[in-house]
Amino acid sequence: QVQLVESGGGSVQTGGSLRLSCAASGYTINSHYMAWFRQAPGKEREGVAVIVTSTTFAYYADSVKGRFTISLDNAKNTVYLQMTDLMAEDTAIYYCAATRQAGLGYRALSPIYYDNWGQGTQVTVSS
């Protein structure tokens, strides 16, 4: 039972940077994974980055490794996605998600395991 509120989306030029924020709240915040997904027009939703909340170990999609960083601020109950060297193909609606499931490994990048979602925020990268 967690509510997720995203912010930080916007429009940038190629090579630019953007930081997305996902503020979590609710009666209990015990998600094992917090993740960022994205969905471009005409494409399936794909996992971008996942962080294990208890250890901060992270998983990344190959397409964003070295460019994106997911982090967790426990004091603020907020998950961030720092995006650098943005490309046109990064244009999508970005969603924050959470799940109580554990032991997924890289499968945590699949959206089927998540049952808590933010509203989505648009990221547009101009070429």
Side-chain angles (χ1 to χ4, degrees), residues 17-18 21 27 34 41 52 60 65-67 78-79 81-82 102 104 122:
S17 300
L18 203 62
S21 299
Y27 178 72
M34 298 289 294
V52 183
Y60 296 93
K65 284 183 179 178
R67 299 190 298 119
T78 301
V79 178
L81 184 67
Q82 179 66 52
L104 295 175
Q122 177 71 48

Side-chain angles (χ1 to χ4, degrees), residues 61-83:
D62 289 340
S63 59
V64 307
K65 284 183 179 178
R67 299 190 298 119
F68 291 10
T69 302
I70 187 171
S71 61
L72 174 66
D73 187 332
N74 288 306
K76 296 183 177 180
N77 295 315
T78 301
V79 178
Y80 303 95
L81 184 67
Q82 179 66 52
M83 304 182 292

